[in-house]
């Protein structure tokens, strides 16, 4: 295998790239990795709230892409396919994480239990305030039920169309619209004090 | 438009996915309900906040680590080819297993729910194969000792009206009228 780690000057579409990769051109694989690594990390990151874990999942996704390249058929967009792989791997990792998680509230210290919202004061540093808002939003997204979380990330962070989301999640368009709406209402209820 | 319909359409309105007629109806509702307008503005504000979250970038070593992982496998990571002998997405073994299961399910369903399976047939089966006591199927009040007539009773349906009438006839022959 001769993986060239340098960026290659491809101007092909994703579907053309995967076709080239299926024919054995590994430079096409590198180009796909370069195109999708950041997008996928931004997709996976809100699930975990942990950058390293998100990056591991994306690495696994890229390895799956390498292993299963022949499974891709051009009946769906490449982006839909790769997002679906990443989503499935993220869900698997989340399930494992849930099983491992054994935190008891009774064993928490007082500091762990309290979640103080700092008062927004005039003299508060703007950066700190922005960071606080970002943390609140991330926390609110993580608190959403799994099926709401996925659609809200795909719509509002990844800015994908309703149709693409429907294909990735594998549910009808109407269900996607309804889930997005309900997720946004839930986020609004959670974050209504942010003004 | 009522409150529920309004809430269902908020996202589609914000995302410009509503058809013109619905959009006008939605805006009319908004103009008449100040709290509804506040809700839409609040959701829009949150969407902008979510969209404005800083984008994370893969670490600089991402590609190196990925390619090292691929190379570090004993023979490199092999590209798998999908099985060409697939039947409706199943391998031949799985497809035959599924077919067998479906056939078994259909067969059992027919056995359970078939309308042609009546008591007469089931009784005949029992009596011919296992020689179940025929009296067990009879009305206990009208039962008579007919153990020697087992073969003749095989064709009788103990629950049918005809056989009951037949039994009644037999008894009626024994009635004797006494003249005064």
């Amino acid at each position: 295998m001769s993986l060239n780690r340098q960026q290659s000057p491809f101007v092909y579409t994703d579907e053309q790239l995967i076709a080239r990769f299926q024919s054995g051109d590994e430079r096409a694989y590198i180009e796909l990795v370069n195109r999708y690594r950041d997008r996928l990390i931004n997709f996976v990151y809100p699930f975990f709230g942990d950058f390293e874990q998100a990056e591991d999942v994306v690495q696994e996704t890229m390895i799956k892409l390498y292993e299963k390249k022949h499974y891709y058929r051009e009946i769906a967009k490449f982006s839909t396919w790769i997002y679906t792989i990443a989503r499935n791997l993220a869900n698997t990792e989340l399930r494992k994480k849930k099983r491992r998680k054994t935190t008891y509230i009774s064993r928490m210290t007082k500091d762990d239990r309290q979640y103080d919202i700092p008062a927004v004061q005039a003299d508060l540093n703007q950066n700190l305030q922005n960071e606080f808002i970002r943390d609140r939003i991330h926390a609110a997204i993580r608190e959403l039920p799994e099926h709401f979380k996925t659609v809200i990330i795909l719509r509002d962070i990844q800015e994908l169309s309703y149709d693409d989301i429907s294909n990735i999640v594998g549910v009808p368009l109407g269900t996607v619209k309804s889930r997005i709406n309900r997720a946004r209402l839930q986020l609004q209820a959670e974050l209504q004090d942010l003004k | 438009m009522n409150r529920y319909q309004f809430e269902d359409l908020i996202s589609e309105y914000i995302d410009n996915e509503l058809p013109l007629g619905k959009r006008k109806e939605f805006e009319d509702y908004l103009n008449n309900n100040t709290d509804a307008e506040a809700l839409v503005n609040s959701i829009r504000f949150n969407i902008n906040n979510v969209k404005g979250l800083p984008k994370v970038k893969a670490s600089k070593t991402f590609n190196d680590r990925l390619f090292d992982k691929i190379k570090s496998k004993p023979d490199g990571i092999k590209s798998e080819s999908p099985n060409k002998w697939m039947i409706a997405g199943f391998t031949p073994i799985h497809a035959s297993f599924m077919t067998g299961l479906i056939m078994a399910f259909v067969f059992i369903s027919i056995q359970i729910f078939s309308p042609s399976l009546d008591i007469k047939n089931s009784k005949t089966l029992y009596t011919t194969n296992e020689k179940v006591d025929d009296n067990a199927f009879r009305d206990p009040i009208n039962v008579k000792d007919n153990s020697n007539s087992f073969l003749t009773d095989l064709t009788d349906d103990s629950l049918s009206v005809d056989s009951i009438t037949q039994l009644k006839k037999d008894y009626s022959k024994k009635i004797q009228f006494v003249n005064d």
Side-chain angles (χ1 to χ4, degrees), chain A residues 14-38:
Chain A
D14 297 340
E15 288 72 26
Q16 287 169 327
L17 280 177
I18 185 70
R20 287 187 73 94
F21 180 42
Q22 285 172 331
S23 326
D25 186 351
E26 293 201 334
R27 288 177 308 155
Y29 173 70
I30 296 165
E31 179 62 15
L32 285 170
V33 170
N34 289 337
R35 280 188 191 181
Y36 277 91
R37 61 183 179 197
D38 289 343

Side-chain angles (χ1 to χ4, degrees), chain A residues 1 5 34 37-38 42 51 55 59 66-69 134 137 155-156 162 181 184 188 194, chain B residues 7-8 11 15 42 45-46 51 54 56-59 62-65 68-70 77 79-80:
Chain A
M1 185 169 58
R5 296 171 189 214
N34 289 337
R37 61 183 179 197
D38 289 343
N42 277 295
F51 182 77
E55 215 177 55
Q59 291 235 332
Y66 194 94
E67 287 174 326
K68 313 272 184 188
K69 63 182 178 189
R134 281 199 299 269
I137 295 169
R155 179 67 198 170
D156 290 341
Y162 280 49
N181 195 49
R184 283 174 175 171
Q188 191 274 335
L194 292 183
Chain B
E7 285 191 359
D8 283 345
S11 279
D15 291 337
S42 173
F45 174 79
N46 280 333
K51 282 184 178 167
V56 280
K57 275 186 169 289
S59 60
F62 182 91
N63 282 17
D64 289 338
R65 283 190 292 127
D68 285 346
K69 273 185 192 173
I70 292 173
I77 294 174
S79 286
E80 294 174 15

Side-chain angles (χ1 to χ4, degrees), chain A residues 14-116:
Chain A
D14 297 340
E15 288 72 26
Q16 287 169 327
L17 280 177
I18 185 70
R20 287 187 73 94
F21 180 42
Q22 285 172 331
S23 326
D25 186 351
E26 293 201 334
R27 288 177 308 155
Y29 173 70
I30 296 165
E31 179 62 15
L32 285 170
V33 170
N34 289 337
R35 280 188 191 181
Y36 277 91
R37 61 183 179 197
D38 289 343
R39 274 193 254 180
L40 291 178
I41 286 176
N42 277 295
F43 170 51
V44 170
Y45 176 68
F47 283 95
F48 298 99
D50 179 86
F51 182 77
E52 281 183 17
Q53 213 163 7
E55 215 177 55
D56 284 347
V57 168
V58 176
Q59 291 235 332
E60 278 302 307
T61 307
M62 294 307 182
I63 290 172
K64 279 271 184 286
L65 165 63
Y66 194 94
E67 287 174 326
K68 313 272 184 188
K69 63 182 178 189
H70 290 297
Y71 284 81
Y72 172 75
R73 295 274 177 275
E74 215 183 323
I75 47 172
K77 283 161 74 176
F78 174 77
S79 58
T80 305
W81 189 63
I82 194 91
Y83 271 108
T84 308
I85 296 174
R87 174 177 160 265
N88 290 339
L89 288 171
N91 281 344
T92 309
E93 195 54 40
L94 278 172
R95 276 198 293 273
K96 282 186 201 165
K97 200 179 167 187
K98 261 183 199 167
R99 279 201 293 271
R100 285 196 296 262
K101 196 176 180 182
T102 49
T103 310
Y104 299 99
I105 292 174
S106 57
R107 291 183 195 167
M108 284 180 173
T109 62
K110 193 183 172 192
D111 291 338
D112 290 330
R113 266 177 274 161
Q114 281 183 336
Y115 184 66
D116 291 330

Side-chain angles (χ1 to χ4, degrees), chain B residues 64-173:
Chain B
D64 289 338
R65 283 190 292 127
L66 174 65
F67 301 141
D68 285 346
K69 273 185 192 173
I70 292 173
K71 282 180 176 173
S72 68
K73 300 276 176 181
D75 301 314
I77 294 174
K78 292 269 192 304
S79 286
E80 294 174 15
S81 297
N83 192 344
K84 286 175 184 173
W85 300 99
M86 299 279 261
I87 304 162
F90 293 104
T91 60
I93 295 169
H94 287 118
S96 40
F97 182 68
M98 290 291 286
T99 311
L101 269 181
I102 291 166
M103 283 173 69
F105 180 74
V106 169
F107 180 75
I108 291 167
S109 302
I110 289 170
Q111 290 297 309
I112 293 171
F113 298 111
S114 171
S116 64
L117 193 72
D118 55 18
I119 294 167
K120 184 177 176 181
N121 292 339
S122 62
K123 184 195 140 191
T124 310
L125 277 171
Y126 268 110
T127 50
T128 50
N129 294 332
E130 297 175 24
K131 298 189 177 178
V132 174
D133 180 11
D134 198 48
N135 283 332
F137 296 100
R138 292 193 179 282
D139 181 355
I141 298 166
N142 293 323
V143 91
K144 64 174 184 178
D145 184 16
N146 55 355
S147 54
N148 295 330
S149 62
F150 174 71
L151 286 173
T152 55
D153 275 350
L154 277 178
T155 52
D156 287 350
D157 185 346
S158 61
L159 295 180
S160 70
V161 178
D162 289 342
S163 66
I164 294 166
T165 320
Q166 186 66 37
L167 284 169
K168 279 179 181 171
K169 272 180 189 173
D170 292 341
Y171 280 115
S172 66
K173 283 173 188 173

